[in-house]
Amino acid sequence: MVQEYTTPPVVTVDPDEILTDAVFRNADADPDHVLFSRRSGTAWVPVTSKEFASQVRQVAAGLIAKGVGAGDRVAIMSRTRYEWTVIDYAIWTAGGVTVPIYETSSAEQVEWIISDSGTVLAIVETPDHAKTVAEVKGNLPDLGEVLQIDGGAIDVLVAAGASVPEADLNARRDGMTGDTLATIIYTSGTTGRPKGCEIDHGAFLFDVMTTTEDMASLFDPKTGSTLMFLPLAHVFGRIIQCGCVTRGVRFGHTADIKNLLPDLAAFQPTFLLSVPRVFEKVYNSAKAKAHGEGKGKIFDAAEGIAIKYSEALDAPGGASLPLRLQHTLFDKLVYSKLRAAMGGKVEFAVSGGAPLGARLGHFFRGIGVNILEGYGLTETSAGATVNAPGNQKVGSVGRPVPGVTIRIADDGEILIKGRNLFRGYWKNEAATKEAITDGWFHTGDIGNVDKDGFLTITGRKKELIVTAGGKNVAPAVLEDRMRAHPLISQVMVVGDKQPFIAALVTIDAEALPAWCKAHGKPESTPVADLCEDAQLRATVQEAVDDANKAVSKAEAIKAFVVLPDDFTEANGMITPSLKVKRAVVADHYAAVIEKIYSSPKD
């Protein structure tokens, strides 16, 4: 087994370069280049490099006028929208530090982040966000003004900054280097209070430049475009934002996931960014729709051919003639319609945040949308490894991005070293020392690296289940496979110190009506009425059986419970980045888990 792998660097980042340099460089070099498409009603309005740079300067001047000093923290609490990006770059231009807050955060979470970071000014999106901040403002002595985007925050800042000399702005930028703190991103965390990750301009720029160079065919300013629907409060969305601005790739924003398909059709991106759960939903919805319309056999056959075709691309000799002919036929019948639903021009997608799984990876590549899976954490400024176009292994999360080293510790933990690493946890020296040893960041993830440098994630160090029989079980293998089933939303495998492995299963509310109709039940039947239904349990058992094929008998799921409710951010059981809060779920369903193991089991 390979214990350490480094991909040679491909770019050199000037130590004095900062994130905003690209904004003004682009405006000078190609002022009329369309850098953004901004939603205006139902239309998408072009924004040039020159217009964006001007807006950033004006808002930055307003921040200075409002008293934001060099190094001061400014919070953004908003959905993904054009103003988010303008404000982010304006904060940097003013010499400030951006503190993102998920727009779904509770008052308690908002209080902690603003208090811990020492935020001096907050910009929120809606009246509800302003109300949330107002609830806790009395406990936030450092916080001054709270501006609201929907209440004209941009105009307020532009007006306030009209009297600020341009020399003041230039002085702020001239006083910054790659070592200047750019952002404090609070990890959403599956346990405990979130920690603030300090990321400087140099780390972000290193990751931006290396990953976009590694994926240069996606980040082509002449042809590339993407529509961002992930939260910009998350490091994954943020690094892509910076990558597009730096490389001059057309970028759009939408937070309306329910309207995503019409938005994709209008915007027509060439590549997408998402997390595995979204790709699972696309696949599951298409499959459920086909079965609901009586075209299930065609879809299932097309799915099988797509997977075989993709697998054959990696095999000696490639796809056989009969397979190519079948693929061509299904491309006309099925695959082209799936691509059209994503805008018609998408050739690549980048997936991060959690393992995608080889089956879904092969399915999407087989239909003509190549998902480039990557891996990283907030602490690594997002990308640490990535599958690049023309250099990928489906099922892996790719090779280290150029200039980064991956090491596998003796216990299987993935360690990372490179300029992309964060500086440490804000005001938490103990946690920083625990996370970084001799320049190596301890990820907490378990994996292995093959001879070609491709990393595969096998689980979380803290999530490994040790059964009563002493068997180590990585839950992700089973959970990812089960979630690929159209009817299943979330899965949490349990069994630590227990005699066998079991699973808590939730049902996809969107897929349930079609399943009910196909099984002779009223489409409006709630999940709560079906938890013990023999037909539903038989369907879930199919997913269990499929998942169990990936593991040994000792690791296989022997029992499961269908839960009446899904894991959601609202009920506190998943993070904003869609990771299950295992401790919260285990505590909430402690009686259910206890019943599993107190019941007789053959």
Side-chain angles (χ1 to χ4, degrees):
M1 181 189 293
V2 176
Q3 292 299 114
E4 189 170 311
Y5 195 94
T6 303
T7 305
V10 293
V11 296
T12 301
V13 179
D14 188 319
D16 289 330
E17 176 120 4
I18 57 176
L19 288 159
T20 54
D21 288 347
V23 174
F24 305 107
R25 187 166 55 236
N26 291 342
D28 291 339
D30 193 358
D32 297 324
H33 175 69
V34 176
L35 186 57
F36 293 93
S37 287
R38 180 182 183 182
R39 181 201 290 281
S40 177
T42 57
W44 291 90
V45 179
V47 179
T48 65
S49 298
K50 182 180 180 180
E51 290 168 335
F52 178 64
S54 176
Q55 290 168 0
V56 167
R57 276 189 178 276
Q58 289 177 307
V59 175
L63 291 170
I64 292 175
K66 290 289 185 182
V68 174
D72 280 351
R73 276 75 64 201
V74 179
I76 307 176
M77 183 180 184
S78 169
R79 296 179 302 164
T80 296
R81 56 190 289 172
Y82 175 72
E83 291 86 352
W84 211 113
T85 300
V86 171
I87 295 165
D88 196 18
Y89 275 91
I91 292 168
W92 289 332
T93 301
V97 178
T98 304
V99 179
I101 301 176
Y102 284 102
E103 59 97 14
T104 54
S105 297
S106 67
E108 185 177 325
Q109 291 168 326
V110 169
E111 180 182 351
W112 166 251
I113 292 172
I114 291 179
S115 173
D116 186 64
S117 64
T119 286
V120 301
L121 186 146
I123 302 174
V124 301
E125 181 183 16
T126 67
D128 283 344
H129 295 151
K131 184 179 178 182
T132 298
V133 177
E135 285 180 34
V136 296
K137 197 171 187 298
N139 300 326
L140 303 170
D142 295 328
L143 181 62
E145 204 165 349
V146 178
L147 303 176
Q148 187 183 311
I149 295 172
D150 286 347
I154 298 293
D155 292 338
V156 168
L157 288 168
V158 169
S163 60
V164 175
E166 188 168 344
D168 289 3
L169 273 177
N170 293 337
R172 289 288 178 94
R173 290 185 57 230
D174 290 344
M176 300 164 69
T177 70
D179 291 331
T180 302
L181 184 61
T183 188
I184 303 172
I185 303 178
Y186 281 79
T187 57
S188 50
T190 55
T191 60
R193 276 182 162 171
K195 299 188 291 287
C197 297
E198 300 179 26
I199 303 176
D200 60 32
H201 283 259
F204 239 63
L205 268 172
F206 174 87
D207 214 56
V208 163
M209 297 302 292
T210 52
T211 53
T212 56
E213 182 68 23
D214 220 18
M215 298 189 287
S217 59
L218 276 71
F219 289 87
D220 185 335
K222 294 180 181 178
T223 59
S225 63
T226 192
L227 181 63
M228 176 59 66
F229 51 87
L230 295 178
L232 287 173
H234 191 277
V235 72
F236 183 33
R238 194 90 164 290
I239 203 77
I240 298 300
Q241 165 196 274
C242 294
C244 288
V245 170
T246 301
R247 295 291 188 181
V249 173
R250 187 168 68 93
F251 190 75
H253 306 72
T254 182
D256 187 2
I257 299 299
K258 292 180 180 177
N259 202 45
L260 183 58
L261 292 182
D263 281 348
L264 290 173
F267 192 93
Q268 295 189 312
T270 59
F271 67 98
L272 293 177
L273 299 307
S274 194
V275 292
R277 188 67 191 126
V278 173
F279 293 116
E280 288 168 359
K281 292 281 283 185
V282 170
Y283 161 77
N284 288 341
S285 297
K287 185 164 187 168
K289 182 181 178 183
H291 280 262
E293 295 174 350
K295 300 175 183 176
K297 289 185 178 180
I298 294 175
F299 185 93
D300 292 348
E303 175 189 353
I305 292 300
I307 292 170
K308 288 181 181 178
Y309 181 81
S310 176
E311 290 173 339
L313 295 178
D314 297 330
S320 65
L321 178 59
L323 182 55
R324 292 202 304 272
L325 290 174
Q326 287 176 298
H327 185 266
T328 300
L329 172 64
F330 283 124
D331 190 69
K332 293 177 181 178
L333 293 175
V334 180
Y335 309 151
S336 60
K337 294 180 176 63
L338 291 173
R339 293 195 302 273
M342 288 182 270
K345 293 185 178 180
V346 174
E347 295 183 15
F348 291 97
V350 181
S351 178
L356 177 71
R359 183 178 178 83
L360 272 183
H362 282 303
F363 170 77
F364 276 98
R365 184 167 71 164
I367 70 169
V369 179
N370 196 354
I371 297 182
L372 303 171
E373 197 171 359
Y375 166 72
L377 304 94
T378 306
E379 290 88 344
T380 64
S381 308
T385 69
V386 71
N387 279 286
N391 188 18
Q392 74 176 121
K393 288 187 181 181
V394 176
S396 81
V397 292
R399 301 166 77 224
V401 299
V404 168
T405 301
I406 298 290
R407 174 186 286 178
I408 305 299
D410 292 340
D411 62 358
E413 185 177 9
I414 301 163
L415 312 182
I416 299 174
K417 179 181 282 189
R419 181 61 182 94
N420 60 326
L421 290 188
F422 75 134
R423 301 195 322 195
Y425 296 112
W426 178 259
K427 298 197 300 186
N428 196 335
E429 189 177 343
T432 301
K433 287 182 177 179
E434 185 180 344
I436 303 175
T437 306
D438 297 327
W440 291 96
F441 171 61
H442 293 248
T443 66
D445 290 314
I446 304 293
N448 55 71
V449 178
D450 70 14
K451 61 182 178 61
D452 300 314
F454 287 86
L455 176 68
T456 300
I457 309 295
T458 56
R460 283 286 296 169
K461 188 175 179 180
K462 292 181 180 178
E463 291 174 4
L464 280 178
I465 292 171
V466 182
T467 66
K471 182 66 179 177
N472 285 359
V473 180
V477 178
L478 294 158
E479 292 166 353
D480 295 342
R481 192 132 170 173
M482 281 192 67
R483 281 201 309 268
H485 192 284
L487 191 62
I488 291 176
S489 177
Q490 295 286 354
V491 179
M492 192 177 98
V493 168
V494 297
D496 197 49
K497 300 181 180 67
Q498 299 291 348
F500 58 87
I501 295 297
L504 305 181
V505 180
T506 72
I507 302 300
D508 189 315
E510 294 178 15
L512 184 60
W515 180 89
C516 287
K517 183 178 179 181
H519 290 80
K521 305 177 192 299
E523 292 182 47
S524 59
T525 307
V527 177
D529 291 352
L530 296 169
C531 292
E532 299 297 332
D533 181 84
Q535 289 178 301
L536 184 72
R537 288 188 60 81
T539 301
V540 174
Q541 186 65 54
E542 293 172 8
V544 170
D545 293 342
D546 181 67
N548 284 345
K549 293 176 184 177
V551 298
S552 68
K553 288 184 177 180
E555 299 167 274
I557 296 169
K558 300 291 198 306
F560 66 86
V561 173
V562 176
L563 300 175
D565 300 302
D566 204 352
F567 305 155
T568 66
E569 196 178 341
N571 63 26
M573 295 191 195
I574 61 171
T575 71
S577 54
L578 305 183
K579 295 183 180 73
V580 174
K581 295 184 177 180
R582 308 184 79 88
V584 174
V585 173
D587 182 64
H588 186 79
Y589 290 107
V592 173
I593 296 170
E594 183 180 354
K595 187 176 179 182
I596 292 172
Y597 293 104
S598 61
S599 301
K601 184 68 190 168
D602 296 331

